[in-house]
mmCIF file of all heavy atoms in Angstrom:
data_model
loop_
_atom_site.group_PDB
_atom_site.id
_atom_site.type_symbol
_atom_site.label_atom_id
_atom_site.label_comp_id
_atom_site.label_asym_id
_atom_site.label_seq_id
_atom_site.Cartn_x
_atom_site.Cartn_y
_atom_site.Cartn_z
ATOM 1 N N VAL A 171 119.878 155.910 96.911
ATOM 2 C CA VAL A 171 119.815 157.433 96.703
ATOM 3 C C VAL A 171 121.226 157.990 96.987
ATOM 4 O O VAL A 171 121.768 158.785 96.215
ATOM 5 C CB VAL A 171 118.776 158.020 97.643
ATOM 6 C CG1 VAL A 171 118.857 159.561 97.615
ATOM 7 C CG2 VAL A 171 117.350 157.598 97.248
ATOM 8 N N ALA A 173 124.114 156.400 96.794
ATOM 9 C CA ALA A 173 125.072 155.997 95.789
ATOM 10 C C ALA A 173 124.908 156.835 94.532
ATOM 11 O O ALA A 173 125.904 157.287 93.933
ATOM 12 C CB ALA A 173 124.845 154.521 95.471
ATOM 13 N N ASN A 187 137.922 168.638 79.722
ATOM 14 C CA ASN A 187 137.717 167.412 79.030
ATOM 15 C C ASN A 187 137.058 167.702 77.701
ATOM 16 O O ASN A 187 136.609 168.809 77.482
ATOM 17 C CB ASN A 187 136.812 166.485 79.922
ATOM 18 C CG ASN A 187 135.546 167.217 80.232
ATOM 19 O OD1 ASN A 187 134.597 167.155 79.425
ATOM 20 N ND2 ASN A 187 135.469 167.926 81.317
ATOM 21 N N GLU A 228 129.560 146.169 79.418
ATOM 22 C CA GLU A 228 129.532 145.125 78.392
ATOM 23 C C GLU A 228 130.793 144.240 78.546
ATOM 24 O O GLU A 228 130.654 143.018 78.392
ATOM 25 C CB GLU A 228 129.560 145.842 76.984
ATOM 26 C CG GLU A 228 128.264 146.481 76.663
ATOM 27 C CD GLU A 228 128.293 147.509 75.530
ATOM 28 O OE1 GLU A 228 129.352 147.590 74.821
ATOM 29 O OE2 GLU A 228 127.347 148.238 75.387
ATOM 30 N N GLY A 257 142.694 153.985 82.145
ATOM 31 C CA GLY A 257 143.464 154.990 81.442
ATOM 32 C C GLY A 257 142.837 156.354 81.472
ATOM 33 O O GLY A 257 141.640 156.493 81.671
ATOM 34 N N LEU A 315 128.525 150.256 89.959
ATOM 35 C CA LEU A 315 127.598 150.908 90.911
ATOM 36 C C LEU A 315 126.168 150.979 90.319
ATOM 37 O O LEU A 315 125.184 150.583 90.979
ATOM 38 C CB LEU A 315 128.100 152.333 91.234
ATOM 39 C CG LEU A 315 127.439 152.973 92.406
ATOM 40 C CD1 LEU A 315 128.189 152.571 93.749
ATOM 41 C CD2 LEU A 315 127.541 154.482 92.305
#
Side-chain angles (χ1 to χ4, degrees):
V171 172
N187 58 85
E228 288 161 13
L315 193 84

